[in-house]
């Protein structure tokens, strides 16, 4: 791969992370302030957070 390919990959992963963060904030953070999450919602939130951290690692790897 050449540098521009890594830059495009990092940018694509970053945009995905922004979308995941938006979903987490809108769907879970505001709801948690009112009532506890159900078991399914907690699993979904954990899955989104895991994907967010995973993609963040790829961003760092592509930049490095």
């Amino acid at each position: 791969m050449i540098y521009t390919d890594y830059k495009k990959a990092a940018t694509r992963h970053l945009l995905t992370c922004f979308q995941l963060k938006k979903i987490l904030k809108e769907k879970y953070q505001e709801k948690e302030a009112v009532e506890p999450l159900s078991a399914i919602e907690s699993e979904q939130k954990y899955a989104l957070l895991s994907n967010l951290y995973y993609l963040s690692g790829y961003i760092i790897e592509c930049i490095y």
Side-chain angles (χ1 to χ4, degrees):
M1 283 179 101
I2 55 175
Y3 172 74
T4 55
D5 293 338
Y6 286 110
K7 186 174 187 292
K8 286 178 189 175
T11 302
R12 188 176 60 248
H13 294 319
L14 182 61
L15 293 174
T16 303
C17 285
F18 284 142
Q19 289 300 314
L20 289 174
K21 182 183 170 202
K22 180 181 175 186
I23 291 168
L24 284 165
K25 185 175 182 182
E26 290 174 355
K27 189 170 182 180
Y28 298 106
Q29 186 178 12
E30 294 171 2
K31 187 172 183 178
E32 279 183 313
V34 179
E35 63 187 59
L37 296 176
S38 69
I40 293 172
E41 289 172 325
S42 291
E43 278 186 37
Q44 291 171 342
K45 180 183 174 184
Y46 179 76
L48 286 174
L49 282 171
S50 296
N51 286 323
L52 185 65
Y53 293 133
Y54 184 77
L55 288 172
S56 297
Y58 272 125
I59 292 168
I60 294 167
E61 183 179 342
C62 288
I63 291 171
Y64 186 66

